[in-house]
Amino acid sequence: MPARSSRKPGRPLPVSTEGPPPAVPATGLRADARRNRDRILEAAREAFAMQGIDVPITAIARRAGVGAATLYRHFPTRASLVTEAFAAQMADCVAALDDALADPDPWRGFCSVIEKVCVMQATDRGFTAAFLSQFPDAVDYERDRTRAERGLAQLVQRAKDTGRLRADFHPADLTLLVLANSGVVGESQQVSLAASRRLTAYLLQSFRTAPTEPLPPPAPLGLQHIHQPQSTH
C-alpha cells in the first residue's frame, strides 16, 4: 500500500441486548426488497474493496441509494453485512486451500495457495481484514480461520517432507508474508497486483531449501495478528 485499509471505526450498527439479530435472508423477499438487498451488497463489496471493512455504514447506504434504516433491516450488524458481502471470496479461499491440500505435489500446493491468497489480498483490500477480523456474531469466520490454520500447517509440513521447503520455515512465517504483501497494495489495482506477484515470487524463492544461514527464531504470530485495530489512548 502503503496499505491504506481504514483503521477508523465506522459507525456501529445497532445490536440487541439479547444478542445480534441475523441478517435477513434473500429468500422470501419481495422483488423491491430483494433489489435493495442486492444493491446494498454490491455497494458494500465496492466500498470494502477500496477502503477496507471499516468504511462507515452510512457511506455504504448512500452508495447503494437506500436509507440507513433499509440497510439495517437487511443487515442489523456490520458483521452480518461483511459476512454476506464476502461469502463468494470466502468460498474461493476455502477452495484454494482444499485444492492445495489435494495436490499430489506438496510444494506446488504450498506455492499455489500462497499465490492465490496474495492475489486476492492485492485486488480486494477488504477481504483479508474480513476473513481475519473478530466478529462475535460471525461464527463461520472463526471456524474457517481455525480450519485455515490447520490446513496451512499441514501444507507446511508436507512441503518440508519433500525436502523442498527449508527446514526452519515456520507457519508463523505465512503471517509475515501476508503482512508484507499488505504493504504493496496501493491505489492502483494494476500496480498492486504487479507488486504483489513480484514480492510473492521473491519470498517463495527464499522459502526453498538452500545452503543458507539459520534464521532467527519465528515471531509468535497467528492469522489473528494480521488485522487488529490500533489501540487508542
Side-chain angles (χ1 to χ4, degrees):
M1 295 185 203
R4 226 179 32 143
S5 64
S6 171
R7 294 287 187 182
K8 295 181 180 179
R11 184 180 132 201
L13 278 70
V15 177
S16 166
T17 57
E18 299 179 354
V24 176
T27 55
L29 290 176
R30 299 192 317 268
D32 58 339
R34 188 178 301 110
R35 284 194 295 271
N36 283 340
R37 188 179 190 276
D38 290 344
R39 283 202 299 269
I40 291 167
L41 285 173
E42 181 179 359
R45 292 184 186 108
E46 292 172 353
F48 293 152
M50 291 187 296
Q51 298 174 260
I53 61 171
D54 293 329
V55 61
I57 292 298
T58 51
I60 295 174
R62 286 195 301 271
R63 180 186 287 268
V66 302
T70 298
L71 187 150
Y72 293 158
R73 278 199 300 273
H74 288 281
F75 302 100
T77 66
R78 180 183 295 275
S80 63
L81 177 58
V82 170
T83 301
E84 187 68 22
F86 287 105
Q89 289 94 325
M90 182 68 71
D92 289 343
C93 189
V94 171
L97 181 57
D98 288 343
D99 289 345
L101 287 168
D103 195 317
D105 183 335
W107 173 253
R108 183 173 60 197
F110 174 81
C111 293
S112 70
V113 74
I114 288 175
E115 290 166 348
K116 289 175 184 176
V117 168
C118 286
V119 165
M120 291 173 70
Q121 185 183 22
T123 55
D124 194 329
R125 183 175 298 174
F127 175 70
T128 303
F131 179 57
L132 299 163
S133 289
Q134 303 277 354
F135 289 131
D137 54 339
V139 179
D140 286 352
Y141 274 25
E142 184 63 32
R143 181 196 63 193
D144 288 336
R145 181 166 57 206
T146 300
R147 177 185 174 189
E149 289 188 322
R150 286 198 302 263
L152 290 170
Q154 291 178 36
L155 284 174
V156 168
Q157 189 56 54
R158 289 178 61 215
K160 283 184 179 181
D161 291 343
T162 67
R164 299 175 71 183
L165 177 63
R166 53 188 303 158
D168 55 357
F169 185 91
H170 189 277
D173 294 330
L174 294 169
T175 301
L176 291 179
L177 183 151
V178 176
L179 286 168
N181 191 59
S182 70
V184 303
V185 182
E187 294 301 322
S188 165
Q189 188 177 104
Q190 183 178 6
V191 172
S192 298
L193 190 56
S196 173
R197 284 176 170 156
R198 187 168 178 85
L199 175 66
T200 303
Y202 269 130
L203 292 175
L204 285 175
Q205 287 184 26
S206 74
F207 295 161
R208 293 194 65 150
T209 304
T212 58
E213 293 297 319
L215 294 171
L221 295 173
L223 294 181
Q224 74 275 13
H225 294 98
I226 295 175
H227 177 79
Q228 289 185 336
Q230 297 282 354
S231 60
T232 56
H233 303 282

